Amino acid sequence: MAVNESFVGRTYPPTEPYQVGREAIRDFADAVGASSPLHRDLEAARAAGYRDLVAPPTFAVIAGQRTDRQFVTDPEAGVDYSRVVHGEQRFVHHRPIVAGDELRGVLTIDSVRAAGGHTMVVMRSDLLDPEDQPVATSLSTIVIRGEELA
């Protein structure tokens, strides 16, 4: 089954809230080698003017991928996940993500296009706080590999 090109422009309903925790921030900072004390030391984060620990910028990928899951698991989308590779990831931050944030994602499919026998899909996940204020936007490009040539 080919990826359903009619999904371009489709927006999915908001995801269930993702609770950002201190340990998740610390673990993520360790995993990506982010050394700022703002990611680990509550007193340092508060002294810098934040209410809690500050997540590294790429932490938005966690809530973003939870949001993107709606498309890749939608049976009508036609995505064979066994053929998916990650193409590109970008973030636009409207404010820092901090521990205690509750993020919901709204997914929009920005484009679906064929390229060299593969399909490239650009997904935009707008991460919102409980008041529907933007926190970050995750732009993810996935590549669905075409069939192998015999």
Side-chain angles (χ1 to χ4, degrees):
M1 173 189 242
V3 176
N4 189 338
E5 293 181 20
S6 74
F7 273 55
V8 173
R10 178 175 286 198
T11 298
Y12 286 81
T15 60
E16 290 296 315
Y18 171 73
Q19 212 45 56
V20 178
R22 289 179 184 159
E23 288 310 306
I25 289 174
R26 289 179 179 124
D27 290 345
F28 192 89
D30 287 344
V32 299
S35 61
S36 171
L38 299 179
H39 309 315
R40 292 176 180 77
D41 183 340
L42 183 57
E43 289 180 23
R46 288 186 173 156
Y50 299 100
R51 72 174 187 276
D52 215 307
L53 297 183
V54 179
T58 54
F59 185 88
V61 74
I62 295 172
Q65 286 188 344
R66 287 172 177 258
T67 304
D68 295 348
R69 181 183 316 147
Q70 294 174 101
F71 173 72
V72 298
T73 61
D74 186 332
E76 294 179 22
V79 176
D80 177 353
Y81 197 71
S82 71
R83 303 195 70 74
V84 171
V85 293
H86 195 237
E88 180 181 1
Q89 187 76 49
R90 292 182 291 141
F91 303 100
V92 176
H93 289 274
H94 308 290
R95 69 160 175 81
I97 295 172
V98 296
D101 277 343
E102 187 175 274
L103 304 175
R104 291 174 303 111
V106 176
L107 175 65
T108 302
I109 307 306
D110 282 348
S111 69
V112 176
R113 69 179 179 87
H118 308 298
T119 303
M120 300 179 72
V121 179
V122 177
M123 299 176 288
R124 178 173 25 97
S125 294
D126 293 303
L127 305 178
L128 310 170
D129 70 13
E131 288 78 41
D132 288 334
Q133 294 302 304
V135 176
T137 301
S138 170
L139 297 157
S140 179
T141 302
I142 60 170
V143 179
I144 299 94
R145 295 175 293 118
E147 295 297 320
E148 313 282 325
L149 297 177

